[in-house]
Amino acid sequence: MKRQLLAILMMSAAMAVPAQADITGVAEDAPIPADTGIKLAPGFRATVFADGIGAARHMAVSDNGWVYVALMKPEEGFGAVALYDSDGDGKADERVPFARGMSGTGMGINDGHLYFAEDERIMRWPLPEGGAPEGEAEMIVEGFPNKRQHSAKPFTFDSDGHLYVNIGAPSNACMEKMRTKGSPGMDPCPILEEFGGVWRFDADKAGQTQVDGMRYATGIRNAMAIDWNPHAGALYIAQHGRDQLNSFFPDMYTEQQSAELPAEEFHRVEEGADIGWPYGYVDPDIEGRVLMPEYGGDGKATTDRGQEPLIAFPGHWAPNDLLFPRSEVLPAEMRTGAFIAFHGSWNRAPKPQAGYRVVFVPMDEAGAVSGDWVTFADGFAGEGPIMSPRNAKHRPTGLAEGADGAIYISSLMSGGRVWKVVYEGQ
Amino acid sequence: MKANKFAAALVAASLTGAAYAQDEEADGGTGQALYEANCAACHQYDGGGVPMMQPELILSEKANGDIGGVIDMILLGSAAVPAGTSGYSNEMPPFDYLSDEDIALIASYVRTHFENSGGAVTADDVRARRASHAGQ
């Protein structure tokens, strides 16, 4: 029965018939190629770009083809690494560590600078011609409080010089007592004043702190997946939904419901938006947002606080990065869509864990979803079912696009790996 | 909103029965049942933890060392770990509201499973640890 559950979820992803866009996902029954460990949508080919680089997170690629990777744990004392494939075989042969004594998740390039985010601060260097950045980093935003839970600071830029930073809520459901059975949710949730949203800063100004920023959107538990959609000119995020419905409300949620709920939400985020955490969550079978049980919900009653997502993805898949491709290399029907890397669940136990994949969402130029999402890359975790997350061989954690249209995918498991995925045509 | 409604509905319909059965089986008041209700969401049913997030309890130092190691983790949660020394991104909540008996059952389960051999602890051990923290 457990196998059936996974099979159904996977099949519905792979067989989804797009409404307008003609995009085929990964063939569900395809074997996992031994050389790369991942299987891809038809027309794409992968190489293992780099192996054993450490706990790889988000990435950025310069126009010269240097790939900059943030590391969640220092690797031999460095918190980031620059990679380069000088002979064009799809495998990096140069590897230059940087960010000594640091570690972090966010990495990005904007206006001739390389930006890197530790959990407490965001810094930048002039983007080098090649290799690692040199000299002292310039601090752009400093002094984020680090409360451990959801403390990573992924970021993105718009085209007007703004830096958008996810400041995750150090909380599961804004309970009075952290993750404690029977503890009610606080209303209003005081955490939202400093956390649980996206703050906007000046991308070009040194020495800012959080108060210099503007709270652009709120009610976001944690959005590791955040990117500016250059076609629609709008911010998009995918949120990590809350955990442990069954642990705290065993009479209301079975283990199976707790594994499936809540949905992971994909949103377009306008200035001033309130997504709805912690007051509600999304159940794909219920119209509107379901009132959080910590706030008096019974699993059915809804709340009008918050906005509806564009897509409700299966529960606990953990969206860890979002990428709107910008090159003209992908097939036409993919150029305005979005890639989302799901690093895979831990909160589905005792049911099999799930997610470990990269999906593609077809979207039109205005930023509306134009068809059903498909699985773009799969097999990261190895042959399933994965009952315990430690058994997942790889978990996709970051996405980036090269100027040549190649898609890079990172994983922090098994020593850390980056794949390069290129489109070769049908 | 787009969602895999078809999949979600099917799954809910076909699996709730099994989940209930399992709940009942586990609700035996044993250390394992208490572990599964309170701890397994984070540390997993196999004690394997979640890389970078929650430590594995397999061959855990605390579960093989002093009597107080696991008891203190249950009573205090992450407050038992010196500030700034944790390598994990999640935090463990305190479970001080559980009874001394239940905490002893859970600690004993952890210390005698997942390849640990720290041995069982008693409710008196838990009482003593609780008293020592109250004095701080």
mmCIF file of all heavy atoms in Angstrom, chain A residues 147-150 169-186 191 221 242-244 248 277 294, chain B residues 38 42 54 73 76-80 89-97:
data_model
loop_
_atom_site.group_PDB
_atom_site.id
_atom_site.type_symbol
_atom_site.label_atom_id
_atom_site.label_comp_id
_atom_site.label_asym_id
_atom_site.label_seq_id
_atom_site.Cartn_x
_atom_site.Cartn_y
_atom_site.Cartn_z
ATOM 1 N N LYS A 147 17.976 32.508 15.184
ATOM 2 C CA LYS A 147 17.234 31.680 16.135
ATOM 3 C C LYS A 147 17.217 30.224 15.698
ATOM 4 O O LYS A 147 16.339 29.470 16.068
ATOM 5 C CB LYS A 147 15.807 32.207 16.245
ATOM 6 C CG LYS A 147 15.734 33.664 16.615
ATOM 7 C CD LYS A 147 15.214 33.840 18.008
ATOM 8 C CE LYS A 147 15.009 35.321 18.296
ATOM 9 N NZ LYS A 147 14.355 35.526 19.568
ATOM 10 N N ARG A 148 18.162 29.860 14.879
ATOM 11 C CA ARG A 148 18.336 28.478 14.421
ATOM 12 C C ARG A 148 17.254 27.982 13.486
ATOM 13 O O ARG A 148 17.540 27.692 12.336
ATOM 14 C CB ARG A 148 18.485 27.521 15.594
ATOM 15 C CG ARG A 148 19.855 27.659 16.226
ATOM 16 C CD ARG A 148 20.035 26.720 17.370
ATOM 17 N NE ARG A 148 19.794 25.337 17.019
ATOM 18 C CZ ARG A 148 19.869 24.362 17.892
ATOM 19 N NH1 ARG A 148 20.163 24.633 19.141
ATOM 20 N NH2 ARG A 148 19.672 23.128 17.532
ATOM 21 N N GLN A 149 16.015 27.836 13.958
ATOM 22 C CA GLN A 149 14.998 27.273 13.071
ATOM 23 C C GLN A 149 14.758 28.232 11.913
ATOM 24 O O GLN A 149 14.458 29.401 12.120
ATOM 25 C CB GLN A 149 13.684 27.083 13.817
ATOM 26 C CG GLN A 149 13.684 25.897 14.753
ATOM 27 C CD GLN A 149 12.293 25.678 15.364
ATOM 28 O OE1 GLN A 149 11.318 25.478 14.664
ATOM 29 N NE2 GLN A 149 12.228 25.700 16.688
ATOM 30 N N HIS A 150 14.869 27.725 10.685
ATOM 31 C CA HIS A 150 14.575 28.514 9.487
ATOM 32 C C HIS A 150 15.405 29.785 9.419
ATOM 33 O O HIS A 150 14.915 30.851 9.073
ATOM 34 C CB HIS A 150 13.073 28.849 9.417
ATOM 35 C CG HIS A 150 12.210 27.628 9.547
ATOM 36 N ND1 HIS A 150 10.975 27.624 10.164
ATOM 37 C CD2 HIS A 150 12.411 26.345 9.158
ATOM 38 C CE1 HIS A 150 10.452 26.415 10.129
ATOM 39 N NE2 HIS A 150 11.310 25.613 9.516
ATOM 40 N N ALA A 169 10.440 32.135 9.776
ATOM 41 C CA ALA A 169 9.929 32.173 11.146
ATOM 42 C C ALA A 169 10.619 31.097 11.974
ATOM 43 O O ALA A 169 10.627 29.938 11.574
ATOM 44 C CB ALA A 169 8.427 31.947 11.153
ATOM 45 N N PRO A 170 11.206 31.465 13.128
ATOM 46 C CA PRO A 170 11.847 30.448 13.978
ATOM 47 C C PRO A 170 10.792 29.690 14.758
ATOM 48 O O PRO A 170 10.765 29.718 15.991
ATOM 49 C CB PRO A 170 12.745 31.288 14.898
ATOM 50 C CG PRO A 170 12.080 32.611 14.981
ATOM 51 C CD PRO A 170 11.337 32.815 13.680
ATOM 52 N N SER A 171 9.904 29.025 14.050
ATOM 53 C CA SER A 171 8.711 28.468 14.679
ATOM 54 C C SER A 171 8.049 27.504 13.715
ATOM 55 O O SER A 171 8.242 27.585 12.502
ATOM 56 C CB SER A 171 7.760 29.626 14.997
ATOM 57 O OG SER A 171 6.519 29.148 15.458
ATOM 58 N N ASN A 172 7.217 26.620 14.271
ATOM 59 C CA ASN A 172 6.441 25.712 13.435
ATOM 60 C C ASN A 172 5.062 26.297 13.152
ATOM 61 O O ASN A 172 4.666 26.440 12.001
ATOM 62 C CB ASN A 172 6.330 24.354 14.135
ATOM 63 C CG ASN A 172 5.553 23.333 13.323
ATOM 64 O OD1 ASN A 172 5.600 23.347 12.097
ATOM 65 N ND2 ASN A 172 4.826 22.467 13.995
ATOM 66 N N ALA A 173 4.329 26.641 14.208
ATOM 67 C CA ALA A 173 2.973 27.151 14.028
ATOM 68 C C ALA A 173 2.682 28.279 15.017
ATOM 69 O O ALA A 173 1.543 28.460 15.435
ATOM 70 C CB ALA A 173 1.971 26.013 14.180
ATOM 71 N N CYS A 174 3.722 29.015 15.402
ATOM 72 C CA CYS A 174 3.580 30.143 16.322
ATOM 73 C C CYS A 174 2.870 29.753 17.625
ATOM 74 O O CYS A 174 2.063 30.498 18.172
ATOM 75 C CB CYS A 174 2.887 31.347 15.679
ATOM 76 S SG CYS A 174 3.391 32.914 16.442
ATOM 77 N N MET A 175 3.189 28.539 18.096
ATOM 78 C CA MET A 175 2.638 28.117 19.389
ATOM 79 C C MET A 175 3.298 28.922 20.506
ATOM 80 O O MET A 175 4.437 29.365 20.386
ATOM 81 C CB MET A 175 2.958 26.638 19.622
ATOM 82 C CG MET A 175 2.267 25.687 18.672
ATOM 83 S SD MET A 175 3.217 24.136 18.647
ATOM 84 C CE MET A 175 1.950 22.946 18.937
ATOM 85 N N GLU A 176 2.559 29.073 21.606
ATOM 86 C CA GLU A 176 3.133 29.756 22.768
ATOM 87 C C GLU A 176 4.410 29.065 23.212
ATOM 88 O O GLU A 176 5.412 29.697 23.505
ATOM 89 C CB GLU A 176 2.122 29.773 23.928
ATOM 90 C CG GLU A 176 1.199 30.970 23.871
ATOM 91 C CD GLU A 176 0.056 30.893 24.857
ATOM 92 O OE1 GLU A 176 0.153 30.137 25.855
ATOM 93 O OE2 GLU A 176 -0.953 31.601 24.621
ATOM 94 N N LYS A 177 4.362 27.751 23.318
ATOM 95 C CA LYS A 177 5.555 26.975 23.668
ATOM 96 C C LYS A 177 6.010 26.220 22.433
ATOM 97 O O LYS A 177 5.227 25.474 21.832
ATOM 98 C CB LYS A 177 5.229 25.959 24.772
ATOM 99 C CG LYS A 177 5.036 26.583 26.123
ATOM 100 C CD LYS A 177 5.025 25.468 27.157
ATOM 101 C CE LYS A 177 4.550 25.989 28.497
ATOM 102 N NZ LYS A 177 4.021 24.897 29.324
ATOM 103 N N MET A 178 7.281 26.379 22.093
ATOM 104 C CA MET A 178 7.818 25.836 20.868
ATOM 105 C C MET A 178 7.530 24.337 20.714
ATOM 106 O O MET A 178 7.884 23.542 21.566
ATOM 107 C CB MET A 178 9.344 26.071 20.878
ATOM 108 C CG MET A 178 10.055 25.750 19.588
ATOM 109 S SD MET A 178 11.007 24.230 19.651
ATOM 110 C CE MET A 178 12.329 24.687 20.778
ATOM 111 N N ARG A 179 6.851 23.979 19.622
ATOM 112 C CA ARG A 179 6.593 22.584 19.255
ATOM 113 C C ARG A 179 6.172 21.721 20.450
ATOM 114 O O ARG A 179 6.731 20.654 20.685
ATOM 115 C CB ARG A 179 7.829 21.972 18.583
ATOM 116 C CG ARG A 179 8.161 22.621 17.240
ATOM 117 C CD ARG A 179 9.283 21.914 16.529
ATOM 118 N NE ARG A 179 9.756 22.679 15.372
ATOM 119 C CZ ARG A 179 9.517 22.371 14.089
ATOM 120 N NH1 ARG A 179 8.829 21.295 13.779
ATOM 121 N NH2 ARG A 179 9.978 23.117 13.112
ATOM 122 N N THR A 180 5.178 22.233 21.209
ATOM 123 C CA THR A 180 4.742 21.503 22.393
ATOM 124 C C THR A 180 3.259 21.176 22.285
ATOM 125 O O THR A 180 2.431 22.062 22.070
ATOM 126 C CB THR A 180 5.012 22.337 23.663
ATOM 127 O OG1 THR A 180 6.416 22.594 23.736
ATOM 128 C CG2 THR A 180 4.572 21.595 24.911
ATOM 129 N N LYS A 181 2.949 19.892 22.439
ATOM 130 C CA LYS A 181 1.584 19.416 22.307
ATOM 131 C C LYS A 181 0.660 20.183 23.258
ATOM 132 O O LYS A 181 0.981 20.341 24.438
ATOM 133 C CB LYS A 181 1.540 17.926 22.634
ATOM 134 C CG LYS A 181 0.264 17.243 22.220
ATOM 135 C CD LYS A 181 0.416 15.741 22.406
ATOM 136 C CE LYS A 181 -0.916 15.049 22.233
ATOM 137 N NZ LYS A 181 -0.799 13.607 22.388
ATOM 138 N N GLY A 182 -0.459 20.666 22.737
ATOM 139 C CA GLY A 182 -1.441 21.339 23.575
ATOM 140 C C GLY A 182 -1.220 22.835 23.704
ATOM 141 O O GLY A 182 -2.070 23.544 24.242
ATOM 142 N N SER A 183 -0.088 23.329 23.212
ATOM 143 C CA SER A 183 0.176 24.762 23.333
ATOM 144 C C SER A 183 -0.553 25.515 22.221
ATOM 145 O O SER A 183 -0.421 25.181 21.042
ATOM 146 C CB SER A 183 1.684 25.011 23.248
ATOM 147 O OG SER A 183 1.942 26.393 23.320
ATOM 148 N N PRO A 184 -1.347 26.549 22.566
ATOM 149 C CA PRO A 184 -2.129 27.251 21.536
ATOM 150 C C PRO A 184 -1.286 28.194 20.692
ATOM 151 O O PRO A 184 -0.186 28.578 21.088
ATOM 152 C CB PRO A 184 -3.138 28.058 22.367
ATOM 153 C CG PRO A 184 -2.478 28.263 23.683
ATOM 154 C CD PRO A 184 -1.578 27.073 23.913
ATOM 155 N N GLY A 185 -1.821 28.569 19.533
ATOM 156 C CA GLY A 185 -1.160 29.541 18.674
ATOM 157 C C GLY A 185 -1.387 30.952 19.202
ATOM 158 O O GLY A 185 -2.435 31.257 19.759
ATOM 159 N N MET A 186 -0.393 31.808 19.068
ATOM 160 C CA MET A 186 -0.504 33.192 19.540
ATOM 161 C C MET A 186 -1.188 34.035 18.459
ATOM 162 O O MET A 186 -0.868 33.918 17.286
ATOM 163 C CB MET A 186 0.881 33.752 19.847
ATOM 164 C CG MET A 186 1.561 33.047 21.007
ATOM 165 S SD MET A 186 3.166 33.779 21.408
ATOM 166 C CE MET A 186 4.234 32.987 20.206
ATOM 167 N N ILE A 191 5.764 36.794 16.219
ATOM 168 C CA ILE A 191 6.947 36.439 15.435
ATOM 169 C C ILE A 191 6.947 37.167 14.086
ATOM 170 O O ILE A 191 7.992 37.495 13.535
ATOM 171 C CB ILE A 191 6.980 34.906 15.226
ATOM 172 C CG1 ILE A 191 7.261 34.208 16.564
ATOM 173 C CG2 ILE A 191 8.000 34.503 14.177
ATOM 174 C CD1 ILE A 191 7.111 32.703 16.520
ATOM 175 N N ARG A 221 6.021 31.157 6.324
ATOM 176 C CA ARG A 221 6.725 30.409 7.369
ATOM 177 C C ARG A 221 8.210 30.329 7.082
ATOM 178 O O ARG A 221 9.045 30.666 7.899
ATOM 179 C CB ARG A 221 6.123 29.008 7.478
ATOM 180 C CG ARG A 221 6.715 28.140 8.573
ATOM 181 C CD ARG A 221 5.866 26.885 8.683
ATOM 182 N NE ARG A 221 6.449 25.912 9.591
ATOM 183 C CZ ARG A 221 7.336 25.000 9.226
ATOM 184 N NH1 ARG A 221 7.764 24.953 7.977
ATOM 185 N NH2 ARG A 221 7.796 24.137 10.102
ATOM 186 N N ARG A 242 3.994 23.719 7.501
ATOM 187 C CA ARG A 242 4.197 23.331 8.895
ATOM 188 C C ARG A 242 4.384 21.823 9.047
ATOM 189 O O ARG A 242 3.995 21.049 8.174
ATOM 190 C CB ARG A 242 3.009 23.778 9.746
ATOM 191 C CG ARG A 242 1.721 23.139 9.254
ATOM 192 C CD ARG A 242 0.716 22.914 10.344
ATOM 193 N NE ARG A 242 1.269 22.282 11.513
ATOM 194 C CZ ARG A 242 0.778 22.442 12.726
ATOM 195 N NH1 ARG A 242 -0.267 23.222 12.907
ATOM 196 N NH2 ARG A 242 1.300 21.812 13.756
ATOM 197 N N ASP A 243 4.937 21.432 10.182
ATOM 198 C CA ASP A 243 5.178 20.018 10.471
ATOM 199 C C ASP A 243 4.210 19.510 11.551
ATOM 200 O O ASP A 243 3.554 20.285 12.224
ATOM 201 C CB ASP A 243 6.597 19.815 11.038
ATOM 202 C CG ASP A 243 7.666 20.477 10.198
ATOM 203 O OD1 ASP A 243 7.595 20.357 8.973
ATOM 204 O OD2 ASP A 243 8.577 21.096 10.789
ATOM 205 N N GLN A 244 4.238 18.174 11.734
ATOM 206 C CA GLN A 244 3.767 17.516 12.954
ATOM 207 C C GLN A 244 2.287 17.687 13.301
ATOM 208 O O GLN A 244 1.944 17.842 14.465
ATOM 209 C CB GLN A 244 4.606 18.010 14.142
ATOM 210 C CG GLN A 244 6.069 17.593 14.059
ATOM 211 C CD GLN A 244 6.833 18.003 15.311
ATOM 212 O OE1 GLN A 244 7.373 19.108 15.379
ATOM 213 N NE2 GLN A 244 6.861 17.127 16.298
ATOM 214 N N PHE A 248 0.846 16.631 17.299
ATOM 215 C CA PHE A 248 0.162 17.543 18.214
ATOM 216 C C PHE A 248 -1.345 17.296 18.277
ATOM 217 O O PHE A 248 -1.975 17.601 19.275
ATOM 218 C CB PHE A 248 0.426 19.000 17.808
ATOM 219 C CG PHE A 248 1.894 19.353 17.797
ATOM 220 C CD1 PHE A 248 2.436 20.117 16.785
ATOM 221 C CD2 PHE A 248 2.734 18.895 18.801
ATOM 222 C CE1 PHE A 248 3.793 20.429 16.773
ATOM 223 C CE2 PHE A 248 4.089 19.199 18.804
ATOM 224 C CZ PHE A 248 4.622 19.970 17.782
ATOM 225 N N TRP A 277 0.441 32.155 6.935
ATOM 226 C CA TRP A 277 0.995 31.490 8.113
ATOM 227 C C TRP A 277 0.959 32.465 9.281
ATOM 228 O O TRP A 277 1.240 33.634 9.069
ATOM 229 C CB TRP A 277 2.452 31.067 7.822
ATOM 230 C CG TRP A 277 3.090 30.338 8.969
ATOM 231 C CD1 TRP A 277 3.087 29.006 9.210
ATOM 232 C CD2 TRP A 277 3.825 30.930 10.057
ATOM 233 N NE1 TRP A 277 3.757 28.729 10.378
ATOM 234 C CE2 TRP A 277 4.214 29.891 10.920
ATOM 235 C CE3 TRP A 277 4.161 32.251 10.413
ATOM 236 C CZ2 TRP A 277 4.941 30.104 12.101
ATOM 237 C CZ3 TRP A 277 4.880 32.479 11.580
ATOM 238 C CH2 TRP A 277 5.263 31.418 12.405
ATOM 239 N N GLU A 294 -3.933 24.905 15.917
ATOM 240 C CA GLU A 294 -3.481 25.693 17.069
ATOM 241 C C GLU A 294 -4.335 26.945 17.249
ATOM 242 O O GLU A 294 -4.294 27.601 18.292
ATOM 243 C CB GLU A 294 -2.013 26.116 16.907
ATOM 244 C CG GLU A 294 -1.002 25.011 17.144
ATOM 245 C CD GLU A 294 -0.765 24.132 15.925
ATOM 246 O OE1 GLU A 294 -1.460 24.339 14.896
ATOM 247 O OE2 GLU A 294 0.094 23.240 15.995
ATOM 248 N N ASN B 38 6.112 10.933 20.617
ATOM 249 C CA ASN B 38 6.729 12.207 20.998
ATOM 250 C C ASN B 38 8.018 12.552 20.251
ATOM 251 O O ASN B 38 8.357 13.727 20.134
ATOM 252 C CB ASN B 38 7.048 12.205 22.504
ATOM 253 C CG ASN B 38 5.795 12.222 23.351
ATOM 254 O OD1 ASN B 38 5.113 13.235 23.426
ATOM 255 N ND2 ASN B 38 5.478 11.088 23.970
ATOM 256 N N CYS B 42 10.691 13.695 14.590
ATOM 257 C CA CYS B 42 11.977 14.356 14.344
ATOM 258 C C CYS B 42 13.135 13.360 14.215
ATOM 259 O O CYS B 42 13.933 13.443 13.296
ATOM 260 C CB CYS B 42 12.285 15.339 15.468
ATOM 261 S SG CYS B 42 11.208 16.789 15.427
ATOM 262 N N GLN B 54 18.179 17.153 12.628
ATOM 263 C CA GLN B 54 17.969 16.473 13.901
ATOM 264 C C GLN B 54 18.968 15.329 14.003
ATOM 265 O O GLN B 54 19.093 14.551 13.062
ATOM 266 C CB GLN B 54 16.558 15.900 13.981
ATOM 267 C CG GLN B 54 15.522 16.926 14.346
ATOM 268 C CD GLN B 54 14.545 17.252 13.227
ATOM 269 O OE1 GLN B 54 14.112 18.373 13.106
ATOM 270 N NE2 GLN B 54 14.200 16.284 12.408
ATOM 271 N N MET B 73 18.025 15.703 27.994
ATOM 272 C CA MET B 73 17.541 16.130 26.669
ATOM 273 C C MET B 73 16.014 16.173 26.676
ATOM 274 O O MET B 73 15.406 17.102 26.144
ATOM 275 C CB MET B 73 18.004 15.165 25.570
ATOM 276 C CG MET B 73 19.411 15.323 25.036
ATOM 277 S SD MET B 73 19.981 16.971 24.570
ATOM 278 C CE MET B 73 18.766 17.534 23.394
ATOM 279 N N LEU B 76 14.842 19.136 29.118
ATOM 280 C CA LEU B 76 15.220 20.511 28.758
ATOM 281 C C LEU B 76 15.179 20.796 27.261
ATOM 282 O O LEU B 76 15.180 21.961 26.854
ATOM 283 C CB LEU B 76 16.640 20.809 29.267
ATOM 284 C CG LEU B 76 16.909 20.601 30.760
ATOM 285 C CD1 LEU B 76 18.390 20.788 31.060
ATOM 286 C CD2 LEU B 76 16.070 21.563 31.595
ATOM 287 N N GLY B 77 15.196 19.772 26.422
ATOM 288 C CA GLY B 77 15.293 19.998 24.985
ATOM 289 C C GLY B 77 16.626 20.641 24.647
ATOM 290 O O GLY B 77 17.643 20.380 25.308
ATOM 291 N N SER B 78 16.632 21.510 23.636
ATOM 292 C CA SER B 78 17.889 22.114 23.182
ATOM 293 C C SER B 78 18.571 22.943 24.269
ATOM 294 O O SER B 78 19.765 23.233 24.154
ATOM 295 C CB SER B 78 17.644 22.980 21.939
ATOM 296 O OG SER B 78 17.530 22.160 20.807
ATOM 297 N N ALA B 79 17.849 23.328 25.314
ATOM 298 C CA ALA B 79 18.481 24.080 26.410
ATOM 299 C C ALA B 79 19.542 23.240 27.119
ATOM 300 O O ALA B 79 20.386 23.774 27.843
ATOM 301 C CB ALA B 79 17.425 24.543 27.404
ATOM 302 N N ALA B 80 19.509 21.917 26.906
ATOM 303 C CA ALA B 80 20.525 21.049 27.510
ATOM 304 C C ALA B 80 21.849 21.101 26.745
ATOM 305 O O ALA B 80 22.862 20.591 27.201
ATOM 306 C CB ALA B 80 20.022 19.607 27.567
ATOM 307 N N SER B 89 19.995 22.368 12.614
ATOM 308 C CA SER B 89 19.209 23.561 12.297
ATOM 309 C C SER B 89 17.869 23.591 13.017
ATOM 310 O O SER B 89 17.279 24.648 13.172
ATOM 311 C CB SER B 89 18.996 23.676 10.792
ATOM 312 O OG SER B 89 18.245 22.577 10.323
ATOM 313 N N ASN B 90 17.356 22.448 13.457
ATOM 314 C CA ASN B 90 16.095 22.478 14.198
ATOM 315 C C ASN B 90 16.391 22.606 15.687
ATOM 316 O O ASN B 90 17.545 22.507 16.109
ATOM 317 C CB ASN B 90 15.262 21.226 13.929
ATOM 318 C CG ASN B 90 13.764 21.455 14.174
ATOM 319 O OD1 ASN B 90 13.344 22.494 14.690
ATOM 320 N ND2 ASN B 90 12.958 20.481 13.802
ATOM 321 N N GLU B 91 15.361 22.849 16.476
ATOM 322 C CA GLU B 91 15.508 22.887 17.928
ATOM 323 C C GLU B 91 14.636 21.817 18.532
ATOM 324 O O GLU B 91 13.558 21.521 18.031
ATOM 325 C CB GLU B 91 15.042 24.243 18.459
ATOM 326 C CG GLU B 91 16.065 25.332 18.361
ATOM 327 C CD GLU B 91 15.468 26.639 18.827
ATOM 328 O OE1 GLU B 91 14.724 27.254 18.046
ATOM 329 O OE2 GLU B 91 15.721 27.024 19.967
ATOM 330 N N MET B 92 15.092 21.265 19.641
ATOM 331 C CA MET B 92 14.285 20.260 20.333
ATOM 332 C C MET B 92 13.536 20.943 21.474
ATOM 333 O O MET B 92 14.141 21.636 22.293
ATOM 334 C CB MET B 92 15.194 19.156 20.882
ATOM 335 C CG MET B 92 14.425 18.134 21.702
ATOM 336 S SD MET B 92 15.370 16.629 21.960
ATOM 337 C CE MET B 92 14.500 15.969 23.391
ATOM 338 N N PRO B 93 12.201 20.762 21.524
ATOM 339 C CA PRO B 93 11.431 21.357 22.619
ATOM 340 C C PRO B 93 11.615 20.555 23.903
ATOM 341 O O PRO B 93 11.943 19.377 23.856
ATOM 342 C CB PRO B 93 9.986 21.250 22.131
ATOM 343 C CG PRO B 93 9.986 20.050 21.236
ATOM 344 C CD PRO B 93 11.350 20.002 20.598
ATOM 345 N N PRO B 94 11.405 21.171 25.076
ATOM 346 C CA PRO B 94 11.421 20.404 26.326
ATOM 347 C C PRO B 94 10.151 19.555 26.450
ATOM 348 O O PRO B 94 9.085 19.968 25.995
ATOM 349 C CB PRO B 94 11.446 21.488 27.418
ATOM 350 C CG PRO B 94 11.008 22.748 26.768
ATOM 351 C CD PRO B 94 11.185 22.609 25.294
ATOM 352 N N PHE B 95 10.284 18.384 27.053
ATOM 353 C CA PHE B 95 9.127 17.524 27.310
ATOM 354 C C PHE B 95 8.942 17.369 28.824
ATOM 355 O O PHE B 95 8.619 16.296 29.316
ATOM 356 C CB PHE B 95 9.319 16.150 26.655
ATOM 357 C CG PHE B 95 9.276 16.187 25.150
ATOM 358 C CD1 PHE B 95 10.409 16.497 24.408
ATOM 359 C CD2 PHE B 95 8.102 15.918 24.465
ATOM 360 C CE1 PHE B 95 10.371 16.537 23.022
ATOM 361 C CE2 PHE B 95 8.049 15.951 23.070
ATOM 362 C CZ PHE B 95 9.183 16.264 22.353
ATOM 363 N N ASP B 96 9.173 18.477 29.562
ATOM 364 C CA ASP B 96 9.140 18.402 31.029
ATOM 365 C C ASP B 96 7.736 18.139 31.567
ATOM 366 O O ASP B 96 7.572 17.794 32.733
ATOM 367 C CB ASP B 96 9.719 19.690 31.645
ATOM 368 C CG ASP B 96 9.060 20.939 31.102
ATOM 369 O OD1 ASP B 96 8.248 20.824 30.154
ATOM 370 O OD2 ASP B 96 9.346 22.037 31.611
ATOM 371 N N TYR B 97 6.706 18.298 30.708
ATOM 372 C CA TYR B 97 5.332 18.055 31.157
ATOM 373 C C TYR B 97 4.993 16.565 31.184
ATOM 374 O O TYR B 97 3.963 16.170 31.723
ATOM 375 C CB TYR B 97 4.339 18.804 30.257
ATOM 376 C CG TYR B 97 4.473 18.440 28.798
ATOM 377 C CD1 TYR B 97 3.774 17.371 28.254
ATOM 378 C CD2 TYR B 97 5.337 19.164 27.967
ATOM 379 C CE1 TYR B 97 3.932 17.027 26.926
ATOM 380 C CE2 TYR B 97 5.487 18.820 26.629
ATOM 381 C CZ TYR B 97 4.785 17.755 26.118
ATOM 382 O OH TYR B 97 4.948 17.406 24.800
#
